[in-house]
Amino acid sequence: MKRKVLLIYTGGTIGMEKDYTTGSLVPFDFSTIFKRIPEMNLLECEVSVHPFEKPVDSSDMGPNEWRMIAEWIHKNYDAFDGFLILHGTDTMSYTASALSFMLKNLSKPVILTGSQLPIGDLRTDAKENLLTSLYYASLYENDEAVIKEVAVYFEYKLLRGNRSLKYSAEFFDAYQSPNYPILGQSGVHLNIEKDLLWKPKGEFELDIYLNEKVIFYRIFPGMNFESLLEFKTPEAIVLQVFGSGTIFNNEKTQNVLQELRSRGIEIVVISQCVSGGISFGKYSNSNIFTTIGGISGKDMTAEAAITKVMHILNNPKYDKSFSELFCENISGEVTEDF
Ligand code: ASP
């Protein structure tokens, strides 16, 4: 039986070609994709293409586009066996993370991919990324999808979406998942690590709630930390601090953090290191966070922490406190016993 995959094309380099008059990359008509890659007709799955009306550079993707994609998937959930989202690489991990919270308990694969070079380029990485992603998006065994989560496929590697991050603007091998093992690898054989895959905890559910009153703040030595008080009405701050959770040990820092908390602002702490994460109490310069009720983001990526905060902050669906919700492992974004 031929599996059906819905391919949602959002934009990014993968669907661009060079305009030889200006030298810039511009989107091409994606409905011509079967002509450009005739190999797609040889696949064992049936692909339906649903392009964005106006494809965008992924720096223009945000909560509205994430909601739109989530709603499309929800609307077409029963009609398709898997979903593939073609996306610009710059913010693909944000979209993957947001979708992993909005599309709860998936029983079908949602794969995101893109490319570093346009599909029409002789040396393109787009073709392999696209064809192998389609394979993963239609992978079934005994009439059951093998992958039941949001994943990113890039340069021979399948990664958990909310653990992935773009680390190179140069290499084809542009994505990493420093705190969770690779889910699958494409070599001579396409393999998949079944024990590492996420297992849904209930029925599939759509929840497109996202609160945008979140700011992200990265500290640096010598900064004016009081500038944090100047932001207008954030409801939560994702604070990216040093190493395993350290910050300046002085009264000013304490006063700023206490003032933010007294304004009712939630503070989530993540690390500037991409590998490893936060461990309060390891150094005395992290104790301030325990005192003011800061919440550890443990080993989460910045992309996952930001989108998780957006999703749970005052979400009317939940009756738990923000910190209880943040500490839950919703879709494999955090190592529980970190
Ligand atoms: N600027 C592009 C984007 O993120 C880069 C890419 O697709 O690789 O849309």
Side-chain angles (χ1 to χ4, degrees):
M1 166 182 160
K2 270 201 165 189
R3 294 285 163 193
K4 290 185 180 165
V5 177
L6 178 62
L7 188 159
I8 301 172
Y9 169 61
T10 69
T13 302
I14 193 161
M16 292 187 177
E17 62 190 350
K18 207 176 214 150
D19 175 341
Y20 285 98
T21 50
T22 63
S24 306
L25 293 175
V26 287
F28 68 80
D29 173 8
F30 207 81
S31 57
T32 61
I33 188 70
F34 290 93
K35 281 202 198 112
R36 285 167 190 262
I37 309 187
E39 292 93 325
M40 279 179 71
N41 295 304
L42 302 174
L43 283 163
E44 274 170 30
C45 59
E46 211 177 290
V47 184
S48 304
V49 180
H50 181 105
F52 264 26
E53 215 166 286
K54 195 173 168 294
V56 290
D57 186 282
S58 76
S59 48
D60 279 326
M61 296 285 290
N64 287 340
E65 291 72 24
W66 302 340
R67 288 189 192 101
M68 207 157 81
I69 297 173
E71 279 171 337
W72 275 343
I73 292 176
H74 181 252
K75 199 169 143 209
N76 291 287
Y77 198 70
D78 293 334
F80 289 89
D81 300 301
F83 301 87
L84 173 61
I85 303 162
L86 296 191
H87 199 289
T89 58
D90 293 343
T91 70
M92 189 153 69
S93 293
Y94 287 92
T95 302
S97 299
L99 290 177
S100 78
F101 302 124
M102 296 160 91
L103 300 168
K104 289 194 178 58
N105 299 319
L106 282 166
S107 58
K108 300 181 177 186
V110 174
I111 314 288
L112 289 96
T113 196
S115 68
Q116 293 284 59
L117 286 177
I119 227 158
D121 195 291
L122 265 184
R123 293 178 53 246
T124 191
D125 53 333
K127 213 158 126 178
E128 201 285 321
N129 286 349
L130 173 61
L131 295 174
T132 307
S133 293
L134 282 168
Y135 170 85
Y136 280 124
S138 55
L139 188 61
Y140 272 66
E141 266 176 26
N142 305 324
D143 221 20
E144 194 183 341
V146 174
I147 301 162
K148 297 171 182 159
E149 61 177 291
V150 179
V152 163
Y153 178 77
F154 216 85
E155 189 67 1
Y156 307 115
K157 288 183 296 195
L158 185 75
L159 310 172
R160 174 160 297 157
N162 56 29
R163 294 292 196 142
S164 70
L165 53 93
K166 182 178 180 183
Y167 86 103
S168 174
E170 168 65 20
F171 304 132
F172 285 147
D173 186 14
Y175 279 83
Q176 282 182 345
S177 166
N179 288 330
Y180 198 75
I182 293 167
L183 303 178
Q185 236 163 338
S186 140
V188 173
H189 297 101
L190 286 167
N191 92 304
I192 183 112
E193 300 294 334
K194 289 190 188 143
D195 293 345
L196 295 172
L197 294 169
W198 181 249
K199 291 169 193 67
K201 294 173 179 165
E203 288 294 300
F204 172 59
E205 201 190 317
L206 172 73
D207 180 0
I208 57 168
Y209 178 89
L210 292 165
N211 182 330
E212 291 168 44
K213 290 193 172 161
V214 179
I215 60 170
F216 178 71
Y217 199 81
R218 179 179 167 110
I219 64 167
F220 61 90
M223 77 182 302
N224 171 17
F225 194 59
E226 281 168 318
S227 63
L228 192 45
L229 296 173
E230 285 158 25
F231 287 95
K232 296 271 176 284
T233 63
E235 290 179 6
I237 298 172
V238 177
L239 193 62
Q240 201 180 35
V241 303
F242 307 126
S244 54
T246 57
I247 193 166
F248 331 110
N249 184 11
N250 57 42
E251 222 181 290
K252 219 189 254 176
T253 306
Q254 182 151 347
N255 292 343
V256 169
L257 291 172
Q258 247 144 11
E259 168 63 24
L260 292 167
R261 292 291 292 135
S262 70
R263 293 181 192 172
I265 298 169
E266 303 288 356
I267 299 178
V268 165
V269 183
I270 61 165
S271 175
Q272 295 182 6
C273 300
V274 291
S275 169
I278 299 295
S279 134
F280 289 158
K282 184 166 177 195
Y283 295 95
S284 57
N285 275 34
S286 67
N287 290 345
I288 177 65
F289 294 120
T290 318
T291 314
I292 59 116
I295 303 162
S296 170
K298 297 183 176 176
D299 63 346
M300 287 174 67
T301 61
E303 291 87 337
I306 292 166
T307 52
K308 184 173 184 177
V309 172
M310 284 175 138
H311 184 65
I312 63 172
L313 187 62
N314 300 324
N315 185 329
K317 260 210 177 146
Y318 301 114
D319 49 12
K320 292 183 185 165
S321 71
F322 177 84
S323 65
E324 273 177 299
L325 279 172
F326 192 85
C327 293
E328 272 177 24
N329 185 10
I330 299 179
S331 52
E333 71 279 5
V334 67
T335 304
E336 284 172 43
D337 55 1
F338 186 82

